[in-house]
Amino acid sequence: MDSCGADESTTARWMAAHRGMYERATRHPFTVSIRDGTVDLVAFRRWLGQDYMFVREFVAFVASVLLKCCKQSDRTDMEIILGGLASLSDELSWFKKEAAKWGVDLVGISPLSSNTEYCRFLQSFDDPEISYTVAITTFWIIETVYQDSFAFCIEEGHRTPLELLGTCQRWGSAEFKQYCQSLQRIADRCLANRTSDAVKSAEEAFLRVLELEVGFWDMSSSRS
Ligand SMILES: Cc1ncc(CN)c(N)n1
């Protein structure tokens, strides 16, 4: 129970239980350096190119979540996930525009090892044995790490360079936050109906995403 007497959701419990790991992913030195204006632009360019490749793989991952959802035939979930998938088209165009602005060659780059590892994890969701609950939980936390990380870069007191504000607003906006909250509600609803083993698998996926996100930021800032 929380302080209002309502049951705390599963995802809220995990956030509290794994606070340290969550903060390592969402207050990483790379994004904190964006917020305090000391970001190394070589690292930013590396992140931009690598994330473009990640998002291309993420499209297939979201499509796999959508497929699992359709098999369960929940119309409202389907519309939210489909909206997310559709918005990735805009996101890819945005990456191309930014890459041109920052002089990043998207054709000539190859994925670095942390990116490859993360993409392999995303590809593993093609397996029909992986449940919709695990998939939607994974989708929610992937989006939430970006939402929280970039929202912090535009919160009061930030010194984010002007030319990076658009990037931070892309994931740090109130609209993106609402979208993440919709995904969280779906995940919590699914988790509420599952056996403890199924919930444990979803929690493992949640923790794996946090680990992979830290690896992705480390890679961007050349810490790995
Ligand atoms: C590595 C990573 N994680 C999450 C997101 C948000 N879709 C992203 N673009 N890149």
Side-chain angles (χ1 to χ4, degrees), residues 51 54-55 58 91 95 118 142-143 146 171 176 213 216:
D51 211 37
F54 174 89
V55 173
F58 192 58
E91 196 158 303
F95 272 103
Y118 205 158
I142 293 175
E143 295 292 43
Y146 262 43
W171 290 281
F176 194 72
E213 288 288 344
F216 201 93

Side-chain angles (χ1 to χ4, degrees), residues 14 195-205:
W14 294 345
T195 61
S196 60
D197 274 0
V199 173
K200 193 160 165 267
S201 301
E203 185 174 8
E204 280 164 8

Side-chain angles (χ1 to χ4, degrees), residues 143-202:
E143 295 292 43
T144 296
V145 168
Y146 262 43
Q147 187 279 318
D148 197 340
S149 300
F150 284 110
F152 186 57
C153 298
I154 48 176
E155 267 172 26
E156 218 184 304
H158 75 78
R159 292 206 219 130
T160 297
L162 206 61
E163 64 271 32
L164 299 186
L165 280 178
T167 300
C168 300
Q169 269 148 3
R170 165 144 222 108
W171 290 281
S173 69
E175 193 191 351
F176 194 72
K177 183 172 185 170
Q178 276 170 19
Y179 165 61
C180 292
Q181 287 169 337
S182 308
L183 295 178
Q184 183 170 16
R185 278 191 292 274
I186 300 174
D188 276 317
R189 193 204 66 227
C190 293
L191 288 161
N193 300 323
R194 299 303 304 263
T195 61
S196 60
D197 274 0
V199 173
K200 193 160 165 267
S201 301

Side-chain angles (χ1 to χ4, degrees), residues 39 91 93 134 181 208:
V39 62
E91 196 158 303
S93 306
V134 172
Q181 287 169 337
R208 181 74 184 125

